[in-house]
Amino acid sequence: MRVIVAENYEAMSRQAANIISSVVVSKPDCVLGLATGSTPIGMYKELIKRYQEGDLDFSKVKSVNLDEYVGLEPTHDQSYRYFMQTNLFDHVNIDVANTNVPGGLSEDVDAECARYDEVIRSMGGIDIQVLGMGHNGHIGFNEPAEDFPVGTHQVELAQSTIEANARFFATMDEVPRKAVTMGIGSIMLAKQILVVVNGEGKADIVAKAFNGPVTPQVPASILQLHPNVVLVGDKDALSKLKF
Ligand code: F6R
């Protein structure tokens, strides 16, 4: 694993954008695995800036997102489709038809999960997967569990995740309890993984995930077994990591 210690959030975002940019430049029709959440917002802003300056071309890029809430319309301002449109897709020349977010409204969730796995497979896999990390070590919405789920599946969100998400909803009742997420197997098949973390609140879980045992109780710990991981964090998030 390569670790990049950035001075602050802005520097972390630029370093992460450098890594994504190098993939897009060297393989214009690459498949980007994308994440939502607070952490990658600065990285997306940086990518938009580079596109606007004429340094990046997304016209042939394809994307697959990690996850989506069950029950939210794509136009709901807390849906992950909406997040991706407003934080990246609407501002660069990516073809929206080439962007994929799991469907959270499907009547047949199992069929939707199988379809999503087929989308990833038919694209030839993911060239680089961006991951944030939950305070409990979740990646995508793969919460601490008894085993590592392989393919796309529906999850009941952990209480701590529901509480962390509550800040984005008017009332606790509106916070989704379920999500559809890419499995750990699909994430691990990505050719490269870019983990972004910031803030001292992430310091304990970062150390646990990368210095502790590999266990489904800390889903991100499986990344220790991936041959091509880059961890980009600000110095607060990486302050307890031994490397
Ligand atoms: C987002 C996702 C989540 C987040 C994680 C960290 O698509 O899959 O695993 O990456 O919850 O979220 P933030 O960045 O808000 O701390």
Side-chain angles (χ1 to χ4, degrees), residues 65-86:
N65 260 78
L66 282 169
D67 40 20
E68 179 60 284
Y69 289 123
V70 167
L72 294 192
E73 298 283 341
T75 49
H76 188 290
D77 66 3
Q78 291 306 324
S79 80
Y80 286 176
R81 164 55 76 178
Y82 184 89
F83 175 102
M84 288 313 303
Q85 291 299 138
T86 50

Side-chain angles (χ1 to χ4, degrees), residues 187-199:
I187 293 171
M188 289 296 281
L189 282 175
K191 295 178 189 87
Q192 187 177 6
I193 292 182
L194 167 61
V195 186
V196 284
V197 281
N198 77 289

Side-chain angles (χ1 to χ4, degrees), residues 117 142 148-153 182-190 222 226:
D117 284 338
N142 295 282
F148 291 110
V150 178
T152 304
H153 59 286
M182 209 187 268
I184 299 274
S186 313
I187 293 171
M188 289 296 281
L189 282 175
I222 195 135
H226 192 284

Side-chain angles (χ1 to χ4, degrees), residues 53-73:
E53 288 167 353
D55 294 331
L56 278 181
D57 174 16
F58 290 87
S59 60
K60 296 200 187 89
V61 169
K62 288 168 264 173
S63 72
V64 277
N65 260 78
L66 282 169
D67 40 20
E68 179 60 284
Y69 289 123
V70 167
L72 294 192
E73 298 283 341

